[in-house]
Amino acid sequence: QVRLVQSGAEVKKPGASVKVSCKASGYTFIAYYIHWVRQAPGQGLEWMGWINPHSGGTNLAQKFQGRVTMTRDTPISMAYMEVTRLRSDDTAIYYCAMGGAIKLNYWGQGTPVTVSS
Amino acid sequence: SSELTQDPVVSVALGQTVRITCQGDNLRTFSASWYQQKPGQAPVLVISDNNNRPSGIPDRFSGSSSRNTASLTITGAQAEDEADYYCNSRGSSGDHVVFGGGTKLTVL
């Protein structure tokens, strides 16, 4: 069965960076996009972007361009999402999800990231 | 504000039918998918491409779309259907993804 297992919770100071990992299994890794979606406390879902594991190409929401990097390591079916210059409003649960360009079929368990001085 | 608009709160009596809607100009051109999120859990895809139900999703969940509105219908709502529901589709730029603001469904 499809599984996406994410790295554990992080606590960071403002201005630092965080890198979240997502280990995929149960399907052909390069055949589906990996999306990243975040959810601030008590808020809705916010799409951040996707990476095409086959080509490495990315498509980021405009507000994250220049501050977010998405990468992958295909031999080990891992995807990564790094956010730099963290701010307090980056405090959120970060999810990876696999699917097509728009449809998100399966989601990881989420990685809480807290930004606090 | 989101390009996709959802009612923030909807309620339904146990066993009755409820429709949750998602409005946006993008939906005239692109299909919508629906996700269920229970407290403390990751979202789960319940309807894709307007009206396709993934395996394992109960058949009381169905979807439809007309003009600029996509709808998720739960026929015979159960207590376990109480959750937040989000729609998503392509954004106006065509290559981005957008989510609706979410609808909190209460089963009375």
Side-chain angles (χ1 to χ4, degrees):
Chain A
Q1 75 283 21
V2 174
R3 287 195 74 197
L4 298 171
V5 179
Q6 299 182 225
S7 49
E10 302 267 10
V11 179
K12 297 292 184 180
K13 293 191 183 302
S17 299
V18 68
K19 190 171 186 176
V20 179
S21 68
C22 175
K23 169 70 174 174
S25 62
Y27 72 99
T28 302
F29 180 64
I30 60 172
Y32 296 88
Y33 291 83
I34 294 286
H35 296 254
W36 291 91
V37 176
R38 75 178 187 180
Q39 186 170 37
Q43 302 301 308
L45 302 175
E46 181 177 29
W47 181 76
M48 301 178 69
W50 54 244
I51 182 168
N52 179 337
H54 178 68
S55 66
T58 60
N59 179 17
L60 299 180
Q62 187 170 12
K63 71 176 287 186
F64 298 109
Q65 293 175 10
R67 207 163 66 91
V68 170
T69 303
M70 296 179 184
T71 57
R72 90 295 191 214
D73 188 340
T74 52
I76 59 172
S77 300
M78 290 282 286
Y80 305 92
M81 190 277 302
E82 183 175 28
V83 185
T84 61
R85 305 192 302 277
L86 285 165
R87 307 185 295 251
S88 58
D89 62 358
D90 290 316
T91 293
I93 298 175
Y94 289 76
Y95 293 101
C96 65
M98 63 79 80
I102 303 298
K103 176 177 59 177
L104 283 61
N105 297 64
Y106 294 95
W107 297 60
Q109 85 276 18
T111 296
V113 175
T114 301
V115 183
S116 174
S117 55
Chain B
S1 63
S2 176
E3 295 180 44
L4 299 177
T5 302
Q6 299 182 239
D7 292 328
V9 179
V10 171
S11 60
V12 61
L14 183 67
Q16 296 304 299
T17 297
V18 62
R19 176 178 292 179
I20 298 170
T21 61
C22 174
Q23 287 189 303
D25 286 340
N26 321 353
L27 300 179
R28 296 180 184 274
T29 307
F30 303 117
S31 63
S33 296
W34 291 90
Y35 306 85
Q36 176 193 69
Q37 186 181 34
K38 297 181 179 179
Q41 298 183 19
V44 173
L45 178 68
V46 294
I47 292 290
S48 67
D49 303 312
N50 286 337
N51 56 15
N52 292 325
R53 192 174 57 250
S55 62
I57 302 301
D59 60 6
R60 62 179 180 273
F61 290 88
S62 62
S64 62
S65 184
S66 176
R67 294 193 284 272
N68 72 331
T69 301
S71 300
L72 171 70
T73 300
I74 307 174
T75 304
Q78 302 299 302
E80 60 263 34
D81 300 333
E82 189 163 284
D84 294 327
Y85 290 86
Y86 295 90
C87 61
N88 90 321
S89 186
R90 286 185 187 270
S92 57
S93 64
D95 62 348
H96 284 190
V97 175
V98 291
F99 283 94
T103 296
K104 182 177 183 61
L105 176 67
T106 300
V107 179
L108 304 173

